[in-house]
Amino acid sequence: MTYPPSMAADKSESSSVLELIAAAKSGDRKSLAKLITFAENTPEEFKELDTNSNSHVVGITGSPGVGKSTTVNALITYLRARDKSIAVIAVDPSSPISGGALLGDRIRLTEHFLDPGVFIRSLATRGHLGGLSASTALTIQLAQLAGFDYIIVETVGVGQSEVEIMKHAETVVVVMAPGMGDGIQASKAGILEIGDIYLVNKSDRDGAQETAKELEKSLHLSPRRGKWQPVILLGSMEKQIGIEELVKTISEHHEVL
Ligand SMILES: Nc1nc2c(ncn2[C@@H]2O[C@H](COP(=O)(O)OP(=O)(O)OP(=O)(O)O)[C@@H](O)[C@H]2O)c(=O)[nH]1
Ligand SMILES: [Mg+2]
């Protein structure tokens, strides 16, 4: 597959897009990366993307430091061992620097950078939240076109912006950790409404059971939703404890959808 050398000025932009799409579909990651940048800058070029995809879009959200990136890392390790391909989209609504150093540190996926079955992209705010949410949606669509088995969207925080971004995920995993005031966190920002799966991480630490119990009570009090009842799991993603159960529950949710 020949890779377009540049978005040459004499070519129409849409023919470049078509070439890049064809290359991305055939597995060229550089073309996919270029397409995403292109979509961030000129989303209007991408109005009629036809994504007829088998990817499962999984959102991972939760307060800073609960272990979201560690969870993503554990998922990648588990799924790669089963020959699944994964795109990770790390979204930081608080940072204006796309792909900035802060986000690089936060995603902690360096061990997967050289794996061709893993594609990692970060997105950050460029002005308004609506733009970020839209570019997240487009990036997901492009990753779907490229045919990844799983597309994982990680967002930092539990504010309204994360709730907005998580609307693009089919299955939402809310990560919590003991001793981080999650009782208070859970009561705000719609966290009790968005999670399909609640993962109480750091179960190797004191208080994980209590956090899970408190969460169960709060979920009980919140309005019921559809045919899927939110599931609470305990685990330690750093120690790869509970990862199998997490993947199983993610798949079960996908089947129910
Ligand atoms: N004890 C323990 N520590 C963990 C576990 N999982 C993650 N951590 C630690 O928690 C800290 C934060 O983990 P991250 O995965 O970076 O958390 P995050 O939610 O992605 O953080 P932000 O992206 O900054 O919001 C790190 O120091 C991890 O080593 C766990 O299962 N047990
Ligand atoms: Mg992180």
Side-chain angles (χ1 to χ4, degrees):
M1 171 56 62
T2 49
Y3 171 66
S6 66
M7 309 273 192
D10 56 331
K11 271 185 196 165
S12 80
E13 286 198 333
S14 44
S15 86
S16 297
V17 166
L18 291 178
E19 281 170 7
L20 286 170
I21 286 176
K25 275 184 174 169
S26 74
D28 181 10
R29 304 293 190 236
K30 267 192 178 165
S31 295
L32 175 59
K34 266 195 156 182
L35 271 174
I36 294 170
T37 304
F38 210 3
E40 278 191 286
N41 295 327
T42 52
E44 64 278 4
E45 287 279 323
F46 292 82
K47 283 219 172 88
E48 284 154 50
L49 269 185
D50 177 28
T51 55
N52 185 5
S53 115
N54 295 315
S55 310
H56 186 178
V57 185
V58 180
I60 309 271
T61 192
S63 306
V66 291
K68 296 179 294 296
S69 301
T70 310
T71 302
V72 174
N73 221 336
L75 283 170
I76 293 174
T77 303
Y78 185 91
L79 294 169
R80 288 303 291 143
R82 282 142 191 91
D83 217 29
K84 303 292 184 192
S85 58
I86 303 122
V88 178
I89 306 168
V91 188
D92 190 346
S94 64
S95 163
I97 317 144
S98 184
L102 174 71
L103 200 56
D105 285 348
R106 289 182 108 156
I107 59 179
R108 315 163 101 245
L109 299 169
T110 42
E111 66 182 274
H112 301 290
F113 277 153
L114 295 175
D115 181 347
V118 181
F119 176 86
I120 298 165
R121 178 66 182 222
S122 52
L123 298 176
T125 337
R126 294 174 165 191
H128 60 114
L129 170 63
L132 183 62
S133 179
S135 54
T136 303
L138 259 180
T139 304
I140 290 171
Q141 287 189 327
L142 291 167
Q144 285 173 328
L145 270 180
F148 289 94
D149 297 313
Y150 288 86
I151 299 169
I152 301 178
V153 183
E154 176 187 342
T155 63
V156 175
V158 284
Q160 193 50 49
S161 38
E162 287 73 18
V163 171
E164 199 55 47
I165 285 156
M166 284 297 127
K167 285 184 185 156
H168 305 301
E170 294 165 289
T171 300
V172 176
V173 180
V174 175
V175 184
M176 296 189 164
M180 299 199 61
D182 280 313
I184 307 153
Q185 291 291 353
S187 62
K188 65 178 185 186
I191 250 351
L192 293 172
E193 282 84 55
I194 66 166
D196 301 303
I197 300 166
Y198 291 85
L199 171 66
V200 179
N201 187 36
K202 309 194 187 185
S203 62
D204 54 305
R205 292 210 182 145
D206 288 343
Q209 296 281 356
E210 286 73 11
T211 300
K213 271 185 202 137
E214 200 181 311
L215 176 64
E216 198 177 351
K217 270 189 237 155
S218 317
L219 282 174
H220 230 78
L221 297 172
S222 74
R224 296 196 146 239
R225 298 172 275 179
K227 40 185 172 171
W228 176 266
Q229 279 308 302
V231 173
I232 300 173
L233 300 173
L234 277 158
S236 171
M237 291 302 115
E238 198 163 63
K239 298 181 166 54
Q240 298 262 337
I241 298 170
I243 184 71
E244 191 164 354
E245 194 63 25
L246 176 61
V247 173
K248 204 180 113 209
T249 312
I250 287 171
S251 300
E252 281 169 6
H253 182 256
H254 200 210
E255 277 160 31
V256 170
L257 278 183

